[in-house]
Amino acid sequence: MNETSSIDYVGSLVMALTGTFVVFLVLILVAVIISQLSNVLWLWEKPERMLPGNWARRKKDGDGDKPSGDVGGERSESSPGFQFPTCGHTYPENNREIVDAWMPMFEKMGDSFRLMDLYKEARESGLPHPHLTICRLRRENYLIQVENQLYTFRREPEE
Amino acid sequence: MFGLIETGFGNLTLGNLGMLLIGALLIWGGIAKKKEPLLLVPIGFGAIMVNLPLSGLMMHTPEGLPALGGLSEVASGEIGLLNLIYYYGLYTKVIPLLIFLGVGTMMDFQPTIARPISLVFGAAAQIGVFIIFLAAYYSGFFTLEEAACAAMIGGSDGPPTVFVTVALAPHLLGPITMIAYAYMALVPLIQPPVIRSLTTQKERAMEMNQEVREVSKGELILFPILVFLVSTLLVPGSAPLIGMLMFGNLLRVSGVTERLAIAGSTMNDILLVLLGLCVGALMPAQVFFDPRTLLMILLAIFAFVIGTAGGVITAKILNLFIKDKINPIIGAAGVSAVPMAARVAHSEGLRANPNNYLIMHALGPNMAGAISTSVVAGVFLGMIGY
């Protein structure tokens, strides 16, 4: 006789409800821990940041003072102990800088192209933050939609 | 007459012929339609191999389970070559676990880490699995173990489904694995009507903030370790699957083990071929044409519909409480089916608004779905198996 054959319909209902609860519990717990990870790493780099004033400033400034391991941040002075490696790319502040860096790519892509192809090409060329950059170029009207899913590049943003 | 009784022709049954046709169809689907070719081609060929009478490639016990044994049994003709692959690869559960390691080396969890709320959608999309578990069991056609395996298909993640089925209902491994992988091709057909029926045009057209937070290297490294610790401490049964997935991912993100990560993805392809061949070999006619197999296909589709709906509804509920609103479409990507479900969410967003690029947002819940299905597998194994 199979052990589980004695489980009745109510038992299986309890199993399903417990299972759903456990899955949510695990995933929510992981989400809570992960959401605090960047803060923990920020404090790990310089424990003195735990002082109330510094903590309040981080909350106010958002990511103004990023941890050294942050992909998009500047490397802060090193603290003793373990340091996470950094990717070392910084996100340019100036649109002109981005356009200059991306110009060879636009020349290669031709008059019109799909954003997906541009993204792939940028990744393969090792340009930093291709997704963010494309979003920014679209928002600033450097990338203009010419037809369904096809875009073109304007050296000067369209008004 | 002419010795035909001793040849395969004399032993061919209608069931065998049907399975040969299905095998040919699977190969055609893989090659001509390019639908999951890495799996459908080996599965199709395996089905053909095992349904040729007297081929001796796969021997079964009187109970209908594959006979077990090693090289000496192959040499003495007691078992076939495919029995050997089944024994070392599936019976020991090595293949699904190693495939998950390979999957881990290919997964990018950055969107999930940047928006941790994505993990909730992964959990919500598993509601369908538990509802179908109950439906299958209450139908009276399935035992508790079989119901759990049939429901796992709805999680739309191959390795956890195979892992649970080997542990709980190995006699259903062939049809369940075949359905689990083949119906991935149906994701673009199943999800859009569910999404459209649960959302308004305005909700689908909602653009999300494209400035997703950049994730630090430290977060990327700590993520797999923390997920493994939390899920294993709470659901020990999920340790083999989550452990392999997260170990593979650690190899990818550590920055010092690129060679191992590349080897992991190559190994994945080889293992998928072996898995496909083995699954095809587990589809003798009498198993495949069992009415319960057809019922499982229906249940799997319903599980997927409910999972998709669960993700969308959860996103809508969360929108009532959060400031930075979420396009409810991305909740649908919480079902695993990586990256198909994310692509479907993206194209539904584009359909509603040509400037609505949701792919990066949808990948977060999609990756969370892979973690959730492993946890669900652990839950089933903990409650029913072992």
Side-chain angles (χ1 to χ4, degrees):
Chain A
M1 173 112 169
N2 190 324
E3 271 180 41
T4 57
S5 62
S6 58
I7 293 175
D8 59 9
Y9 289 160
V10 178
S12 59
L13 180 63
V14 172
M15 284 170 84
L17 290 175
T18 311
T20 310
F21 172 75
V22 170
V23 173
F24 269 93
L25 178 69
V26 172
L27 273 292
I28 289 173
L29 197 56
V30 170
V32 170
I33 293 171
I34 297 305
S35 66
Q36 295 308 313
L37 206 51
S38 61
N39 289 334
V40 173
L41 289 175
W42 185 77
L43 290 174
W44 175 278
E45 282 176 3
K46 285 186 180 176
E48 63 269 24
R49 283 169 170 164
M50 270 185 257
L51 294 171
N54 289 337
W55 185 244
R57 188 162 56 88
R58 172 168 165 84
K59 277 191 163 176
K60 190 181 160 198
D61 298 346
D63 282 344
D65 186 10
K66 287 179 179 175
S68 65
D70 217 336
V71 175
E74 295 289 338
R75 191 172 185 83
S76 61
E77 58 181 280
S78 60
S79 59
F82 178 72
Q83 280 286 315
F84 286 108
T86 174
C87 289
H89 295 310
T90 54
Y91 190 59
E93 289 299 317
N94 188 324
N95 284 340
R96 185 51 53 195
E97 246 182 274
I98 297 176
V99 169
D100 289 344
W102 281 59
M103 204 56 219
M105 180 105 56
F106 291 127
E107 284 167 2
K108 192 174 165 188
M109 299 297 295
D111 287 342
S112 59
F113 43 81
R114 293 190 317 157
L115 292 185
M116 197 184 289
D117 297 332
L118 180 66
Y119 176 79
K120 272 188 202 160
E121 195 65 36
R123 275 199 80 129
E124 281 165 17
S125 306
L127 285 168
H129 314 297
H131 183 255
L132 277 180
T133 310
I134 291 172
C135 290
R136 183 160 160 181
L137 291 175
R138 275 187 59 231
R139 203 176 48 238
E140 308 276 342
N141 291 329
Y142 284 94
L143 286 172
I144 308 297
Q145 190 166 18
V146 283
E147 57 183 278
N148 189 24
Q149 300 203 20
L150 279 182
Y151 283 76
T152 192
F153 169 70
R154 299 263 184 274
R155 204 174 166 82
E156 295 303 327
E158 266 195 357
E159 292 304 320
Chain B
M1 183 201 276
F2 306 113
L4 278 182
I5 301 301
E6 286 77 33
T7 68
F9 286 111
N11 290 278
L12 263 180
T13 62
L14 268 179
N16 290 137
L17 285 171
M19 285 310 297
L20 291 176
L21 187 67
I22 287 173
L25 272 176
L26 291 174
I27 294 175
W28 175 79
I31 296 174
K33 295 289 172 187
K34 295 191 169 51
K35 299 283 184 198
E36 302 278 343
L38 280 178
L39 273 162
L40 290 194
V41 174
I43 289 178
F45 200 76
I48 290 176
M49 286 167 102
V50 79
N51 280 288
L52 285 177
L54 309 182
S55 67
L57 286 166
M58 186 74 159
M59 306 289 194
H60 289 86
T61 62
E63 294 81 37
L65 290 170
L68 303 176
L71 277 174
S72 56
E73 283 80 11
V74 175
S76 63
E78 290 172 50
I79 62 169
L81 174 68
L82 295 174
N83 288 87
L84 196 69
I85 301 175
Y86 171 81
Y87 179 56
Y88 287 119
L90 284 182
Y91 184 74
T92 57
K93 301 181 200 150
V94 163
I95 285 184
L97 291 177
L98 289 181
I99 287 179
F100 232 32
L101 190 150
V103 170
T105 64
M106 292 185 274
M107 288 184 98
D108 182 0
F109 283 108
Q110 285 194 58
T112 315
I113 302 170
R115 197 186 283 270
I117 206 166
S118 307
L119 288 154
V120 179
F121 301 129
Q126 304 306 316
I127 291 171
V129 172
F130 288 104
I131 290 177
I132 292 303
F133 162 67
L134 285 179
Y137 185 53
Y138 287 2
S139 74
F141 289 103
F142 300 97
T143 64
L144 208 61
E145 291 87 349
E146 291 169 344
C149 299
M152 277 301 295
I153 306 173
S156 54
D157 203 349
T161 308
V162 175
F163 189 76
V164 170
T165 309
V166 172
L168 299 181
H171 56 288
L172 291 180
L173 189 60
I176 282 186
T177 313
M178 204 278 293
I179 298 166
Y181 279 100
Y183 103 123
M184 297 264 185
L186 297 177
V187 171
L189 298 177
I190 300 171
Q191 283 201 309
V194 182
I195 293 171
R196 283 175 217 154
S197 63
L198 291 172
T199 52
T200 62
Q201 166 75 15
K202 193 181 162 195
E203 283 173 326
R204 292 195 296 277
M206 182 199 299
E207 286 185 40
M208 290 176 68
N209 181 10
Q210 294 291 339
E211 302 278 344
V212 180
R213 179 177 75 83
E214 290 286 346
V215 174
S216 76
K217 192 87 179 171
E219 287 174 275
L220 283 174
I221 290 172
L222 286 175
F223 179 79
I225 298 168
L226 288 171
V227 170
F228 177 62
L229 287 177
V230 173
S231 55
T232 304
L233 286 172
L234 286 172
V235 187
S238 67
L241 284 164
I242 290 274
M244 284 305 198
L245 182 73
M246 293 299 141
F247 173 54
N249 191 249
L250 185 59
L251 292 180
R252 174 195 167 98
V253 298
S254 69
V256 292
T257 51
E258 285 97 343
R259 277 171 53 204
L260 294 179
I262 293 166
S265 58
T266 310
M267 177 184 72
N268 210 23
D269 290 342
I270 298 167
L271 292 171
L272 273 177
V273 170
L274 289 179
L275 174 71
L277 204 58
C278 229
V279 167
L282 289 169
M283 293 203 298
Q286 65 270 28
V287 172
F288 195 82
F289 290 118
D290 185 337
R292 294 193 311 164
T293 304
L294 300 174
L295 185 58
M296 274 192 287
I297 295 175
L298 284 178
L299 288 173
I301 291 172
F302 277 120
F304 201 67
V305 168
I306 299 169
T308 303
V312 174
I313 293 168
T314 304
K316 292 177 82 160
I317 294 172
L318 282 175
N319 271 345
L320 299 174
F321 303 101
I322 56 177
K323 197 174 70 179
D324 199 4
K325 302 292 180 205
I326 295 167
N327 188 318
I329 298 177
I330 69 164
V335 294
S336 192
V338 180
M340 191 73 85
R343 278 193 214 144
V344 170
H346 176 67
S347 49
E348 280 302 299
L350 272 182
R351 194 186 156 101
N353 169 4
N355 289 318
N356 199 5
Y357 290 85
L358 292 175
I359 187 75
M360 289 300 283
H361 302 290
L363 276 170
N366 208 197
M367 299 293 160
I371 298 172
S372 311
T373 46
S374 304
V375 176
V376 172
V379 166
F380 277 135
L381 290 173
M383 291 195 299
I384 304 172
Y386 295 135

